[in-house]
Amino acid sequence: MAGPKKNKVAESETTEIDMPTISITGDFASQVGVVSGTSMTLFVGVGEVEGETNQVLVPLVSWGLAGGNDVVTSTSSSRLYSSVLTLENAAFVACDTADELRKVLTQLTIINTGGIKVEPARLQVIAGYLDGAKQAIELCQGSIQNLIASGSR
């Protein structure tokens, strides 16, 4: 019987903190992927509110994830997923993803109280990404408030 499979896990090159390479054991290690980028492009259509005669702009976005399953080098990227979404659905995806991340971090906080801890450099990278997300959301909130104030309807 073959021994357990070891795969080295590195992070995307977009991180600014040098993290040590970590080996993990198990067949699941080959399933670990890296999202190396996201993209969102605005498209605007014209529609009509049901039961009314006035036309309204319908913001749509082409949304995609790029990355791959080569965690060690993380240099090759391919399209992992893409779709056209309404802008409100794209906002929902951001909200739902943030809430799911909150749940996972809450679980990790409980698990991390044991004798084995999460590698500290990775926690710093996560904190940096969350700071960036917070800043981006604040800018999004400002933009949506400007759109609401402009009387878009």
Side-chain angles (χ1 to χ4, degrees):
M1 183 160 104
K5 194 174 179 182
K6 283 197 174 221
N7 286 8
K8 293 187 179 200
V9 177
E11 297 296 319
S12 167
E13 294 177 28
T14 59
T15 59
E16 295 179 12
I17 297 174
D18 188 30
M19 291 185 294
T21 300
I22 296 176
S23 296
I24 56 176
T25 304
D27 287 333
F28 70 93
S30 65
Q31 299 300 313
V32 177
V34 172
V35 174
S36 58
T38 62
S39 63
M40 194 175 287
T41 304
L42 176 68
F43 295 95
V44 180
V46 176
E48 292 180 5
V49 177
E50 194 171 319
E52 297 182 18
T53 58
N54 59 324
Q55 294 184 327
V56 293
L57 293 178
V58 180
L60 303 168
V61 294
S62 173
W63 177 68
L65 298 173
N69 282 343
D70 189 358
V71 180
V72 175
T73 61
S74 70
T75 55
S76 62
S77 273
S78 62
R79 181 174 295 189
L80 295 176
Y81 178 82
S82 67
S83 185
V84 175
L85 307 173
T86 62
L87 188 56
E88 63 271 17
N89 191 231
F92 164 78
V93 169
C95 177
D96 196 52
T97 300
D99 191 51
E100 290 297 320
L101 183 58
R102 177 198 57 80
K103 291 174 189 175
V104 168
L105 289 172
T106 299
Q107 294 166 351
L108 184 58
T109 300
I110 294 166
I111 295 168
N112 199 55
T113 61
I116 300 175
K117 304 289 184 186
V118 177
E119 201 280 313
R122 283 173 164 64
L123 296 175
Q124 291 300 318
V125 169
I126 294 167
Y129 284 137
L130 292 175
D131 283 341
K134 180 181 175 184
Q135 291 171 14
I137 291 293
E138 288 171 354
L139 293 171
C140 289
Q141 287 175 327
S143 294
I144 197 65
Q145 291 306 317
N146 288 339
L147 286 164
I148 291 169
S150 74
S152 55
R153 212 169 157 220

